[in-house]
Amino acid sequence: MNSVIHPDLASKADYLLPSLTIGYLLTKQTLWIIPLLVFIPFSFQSSLKLSWEQTLGIGTDNLLFCFIGMWASFVANAYNQKNKLVAEVEHQNKLLTHYSAEIEKMTLLEERNRMSKELHDTLGHSFISLILSLDASIALMDSKPAEAKDRLIRLRALAEKNLDDMRNIVHEMGEEEESSLIRQVESLAARFREHTSTALTWSLPETERSIRFEVRQTILRVIQESFTNALKHGKATQLHLELRFSESHLQLSVRNNGRPIDKLSYGFGLTTMKHRVERLGGSLHLSSGEGTPVITEVRCEIPLKGVMPHGED
């Protein structure tokens, strides 16, 4: 209205700022203002003796800047929504990582409890029997030396058996730490092929490099998750696993001929694996190519040394 009453303001750009602001603040409930911006100049045309060119120019300018304000509002809202979505995704990823760490911690605690219970159940009773028998042998040493000697011989055999039992348990506890990754992968693939009757082939290096326990466990979990997803979601009938050692990295590829993935996304299992790989300084990628046949691939690469997991010295 100010631009209509004072048409000389039309020569200055700032007279259109109110229209720009109106457009920026428009909502669905205030859309009726748009035709009003066009109608106002024409309603004052006769009383202010404005020419048709002036009236049309003022109305067009105000309408144009109103639409520019609406566009700026749309861009600002889209930017805010994007920031909120990014923040929500980061929050969910942090929760997922925390949840994964808690699951791993609970698994380790459960394994420790199982081992301690097995040590108690296996060796506890034997050691109690050993102590009681030694006490009895000491009491018979003077009065019945032959019987005492026989008891001591049997106690020695019992002690040897207890030692063997303890070594077996300790070996079981340390088996995962010391076992070969190549042998574990072969065993995992063979069991999977046997139990699922899937055409599974693999290519493994002849020699193995020295790798950390965390790297070996992560590689095995990625393979398990890739196999499961290939059958469960992709309905794959053929899989191929390839493991390679480069000069500085361990590289894993699991390919299958399952159904193509329309929209590449990481489920809970692969997301957890992706975070575990990234904690080790590596990367994990999922791809589904076009062609005949369609090949879906999970690729993983982890440095062999130089990068330690977060939180470790």
Side-chain angles (χ1 to χ4, degrees):
M1 292 182 67
N2 189 44
S3 64
V4 172
I5 297 173
H6 302 285
D8 56 312
L9 293 175
S11 60
K12 301 178 181 180
D14 56 354
Y15 92 101
L16 292 169
L17 288 177
S19 298
L20 187 68
T21 305
I22 289 172
Y24 187 84
L25 299 175
L26 274 180
T27 63
K28 291 181 179 180
Q29 290 75 24
T30 57
L31 286 176
W32 54 269
I33 293 178
I34 295 178
L36 189 63
L37 288 175
V38 181
F39 176 75
I40 287 177
F42 291 96
S43 64
F44 285 88
Q45 181 186 14
S46 57
S47 60
L48 296 177
K49 298 180 180 180
L50 298 176
S51 65
W52 279 101
E53 290 78 6
Q54 287 178 309
T55 304
L56 188 60
I58 293 173
T60 303
D61 288 346
N62 281 302
L63 187 62
L64 176 62
F65 269 70
C66 179
F67 282 124
I68 292 175
M70 293 171 63
W71 174 80
S73 176
F74 175 78
V75 171
N77 288 334
Y79 182 76
N80 290 334
Q81 289 296 326
K82 186 204 75 167
N83 287 342
K84 290 180 180 179
L85 183 61
V86 169
E88 179 65 21
V89 169
E90 290 180 353
H91 177 67
Q92 292 298 328
N93 284 340
K94 288 180 180 178
L95 289 178
L96 189 62
T97 303
H98 176 71
Y99 178 74
S100 175
E102 287 297 319
I103 290 295
E104 190 169 357
K105 182 179 178 181
M106 290 172 61
T107 302
L108 290 174
L109 183 60
E110 183 179 351
E111 181 65 13
R112 289 173 182 171
N113 290 336
R114 185 183 72 83
M115 286 299 178
S116 63
K117 184 177 183 298
E118 188 166 344
L119 281 170
H120 176 270
D121 293 343
T122 304
L123 301 179
H125 177 73
S126 296
F127 276 112
I128 291 174
S129 299
L130 186 63
I131 292 171
L132 293 175
S133 297
L134 283 172
D135 290 338
S137 299
I138 293 172
L140 292 173
M141 190 70 69
D142 295 330
S143 60
K144 298 179 180 179
E147 185 177 346
K149 182 179 179 180
D150 182 62
R151 280 179 175 270
L152 288 174
I153 292 173
R154 282 184 281 133
L155 288 176
R156 186 184 185 283
L158 178 61
E160 279 190 9
K161 182 179 181 302
N162 288 348
L163 180 61
D164 290 338
D165 290 341
M166 185 183 68
R167 283 174 175 169
N168 290 334
I169 294 174
V170 172
H171 178 72
E172 182 183 348
M173 293 174 67
E175 187 176 14
E176 287 294 320
E177 288 281 348
E178 299 173 357
S179 59
S180 163
L181 173 62
I182 295 177
R183 289 199 300 269
Q184 285 183 296
V185 171
E186 282 181 326
S187 176
L188 174 63
R191 290 198 307 268
F192 181 84
R193 183 170 60 183
E194 177 184 355
H195 295 313
T196 63
S197 300
T198 306
L200 172 61
T201 58
W202 55 82
S203 174
L204 302 175
E206 295 181 0
T207 58
E208 183 170 342
R209 300 276 296 277
S210 177
I211 59 175
R212 290 168 291 157
F213 173 73
E214 295 86 352
V215 174
R216 181 165 60 249
Q217 289 298 99
T218 298
I219 288 294
L220 292 173
R221 298 299 174 263
V222 171
I223 293 174
Q224 288 176 328
E225 188 66 29
S226 301
F227 284 176
T228 301
N229 287 344
L231 261 65
K232 182 178 179 181
H233 303 296
K235 308 300 180 184
T237 58
Q238 295 180 346
L239 292 93
H240 180 73
L241 181 152
E242 185 174 359
L243 188 68
R244 300 186 303 272
F245 288 100
S246 69
E247 184 175 347
S248 59
H249 287 78
L250 171 61
Q251 299 166 335
L252 169 70
S253 171
V254 180
R255 296 188 293 272
N256 70 79
N257 67 340
R259 290 196 303 244
I261 303 174
D262 297 330
K263 183 179 180 181
L264 293 178
S265 61
Y266 292 83
F268 175 78
L270 277 179
T271 300
T272 302
M273 292 302 102
K274 183 177 174 67
H275 288 317
R276 289 185 64 170
V277 170
E278 290 175 348
R279 283 184 65 246
L280 296 171
S283 60
L284 186 141
H285 302 282
L286 174 65
S287 63
S288 184
E290 305 236 345
T292 307
V294 175
I295 299 297
T296 300
E297 181 181 22
V298 176
R299 286 178 288 109
C300 174
E301 185 175 86
I302 301 178
L304 293 175
K305 58 182 179 179
V307 179
M308 293 297 293
H310 299 310
E312 290 190 8
D313 296 329

